[in-house]
Amino acid sequence: MKSILLSFFISQLISSSLYAALTFGVVPQQSPLILIKSWTPVIQYLEKETGQKIDLKIESSISKFEEILYSGGYDIAYMNPYHYIVANEKKGYNSKIRDEKDLVGILVVNKNSNLNSIIDIKDKNFLFASANAFAATLLTKYELSKKYNIYIDKNKTFTYVNSHDSVYKGIARGIGDVGGGIERTFNALDDMEVKESLKILYKTQSYPSHPIAFNPSVSEDIQKRFVNAFMNIPKNLLEDLNMIHIIKADDATYDIVRDIAKELSLPKE
């Protein structure tokens, strides 16, 4: 009788562990409503393919996302490359997959402005989503300083506005002169009036795209299920995320980001 009860409790423990909801955090580069709309079908697909219940977590700002990520608050997370190297060092998150299309930072300006070249934007007011947005903020600042001697941080000519969409809308409405973003979020912008009022003035070099990484508390078996599901995800679901093809990644994929962080003397928060 005791052995039967023990077996029952063990099976219940395994079952509850297997089907306990996993938290899936997504960096809020766009508005929460847009992200919920585009990621919910993906979460539903993943639940069906993996047998796991998943709670999608969309925070109100990138800084809030960073706070939760760096405390180990997500089981799985879609994050920018700089977030990843910090989360890996602080909590052991491990990248497994990413979009095949590399990450490119952009600077946008209003089409009606007289800003037509990099020389024109010196001492102008910049809008960025957050301090640690990798391509949209860190890379654009880095390349402007290295290539054009434009030191945005030194001149204090910038404002942080929470999301890429907020950047684009701010530039369209004249709140700022130049905005940092990435190709993916600009292409995904659904406010056509805002989008058509902007032009891309500058593009950075390309770097490995945002990883989907796992908290080390997630079992290898569950991680494999998620990787397999993402590798076979229907094309239409990827298109809704403005991605093209999921490929495998590992920790070494982001060594180039570590090199840039070291050169920029970025803190490991």
Side-chain angles (χ1 to χ4, degrees), residues 34-252:
I34 290 175
L35 290 175
I36 290 170
K37 181 180 178 181
S38 57
W39 277 92
T40 294
V42 175
I43 296 300
Q44 292 171 342
Y45 162 80
L46 292 172
E47 286 184 325
K48 180 180 178 182
E49 294 298 310
T50 66
Q52 291 290 325
K53 180 174 174 54
I54 306 165
D55 286 339
L56 176 63
K57 299 292 185 181
I58 308 291
E59 312 305 336
S60 58
S61 66
I62 293 176
S63 59
K64 183 63 177 177
F65 169 82
E66 291 169 346
E67 177 186 335
I68 296 173
L69 176 67
Y70 297 160
S71 68
Y74 302 119
D75 294 306
I76 310 166
Y78 173 75
M79 63 194 78
N80 80 37
Y82 179 68
H83 289 151
Y84 172 70
I85 66 170
V86 178
N88 172 258
E89 180 166 306
K90 292 178 74 71
K91 293 296 179 181
Y93 280 89
N94 192 21
S95 66
K96 291 295 180 80
I97 46 180
R98 70 178 182 94
D99 185 27
E100 182 178 40
K101 186 178 181 180
D102 282 344
L103 184 61
V104 176
I106 61 173
L107 291 174
V108 300
V109 297
N110 195 301
K111 285 181 179 178
N112 294 324
S113 72
N114 59 356
L115 305 176
N116 300 305
S117 71
I118 292 297
I119 297 173
D120 297 330
I121 66 175
K122 190 172 184 179
D123 298 325
K124 296 299 182 180
N125 183 40
F126 287 74
L127 300 184
F128 296 109
S130 76
N132 294 329
F134 177 65
T137 304
L138 298 176
L139 284 181
T140 51
K141 287 183 179 180
Y142 173 71
E143 292 194 10
L144 287 178
S145 65
K146 287 287 186 180
K147 296 180 179 181
Y148 303 100
N149 294 317
I150 297 176
Y151 300 96
I152 298 171
D153 285 327
K154 182 179 178 181
N155 296 331
K156 305 294 184 184
T157 54
F158 62 89
T159 304
Y160 297 125
V161 293
N162 283 340
S163 72
H164 291 201
D165 284 3
S166 296
V167 169
Y168 303 138
K169 291 175 183 178
I171 301 303
R173 294 166 184 168
I175 297 171
D177 302 308
V178 188
I182 61 175
E183 283 186 319
R184 183 180 56 77
T185 57
F186 184 75
N187 292 338
L189 186 62
D190 63 354
D191 189 326
M192 295 310 297
E193 183 178 354
V194 168
K195 190 172 184 178
E196 290 174 0
S197 72
L198 303 175
K199 64 180 178 182
I200 296 175
L201 188 68
Y202 180 77
K203 293 184 179 183
T204 70
Q205 296 180 35
S206 61
Y207 294 87
S209 57
H210 292 40
I212 293 173
F214 294 83
N215 192 307
S217 64
V218 179
S219 73
E220 284 296 326
D221 176 62
I222 292 176
Q223 291 187 38
K224 287 179 182 177
R225 291 189 214 172
F226 274 86
V227 170
N228 289 337
F230 267 109
M231 296 292 287
N232 293 287
I233 192 169
K235 186 176 180 181
N236 65 298
L237 294 183
L238 280 185
E239 289 174 347
D240 288 342
L241 301 178
N242 204 32
M243 298 182 187
I244 58 170
H245 179 60
I246 298 296
I247 60 174
K248 290 187 177 181
D250 58 22
D251 185 65

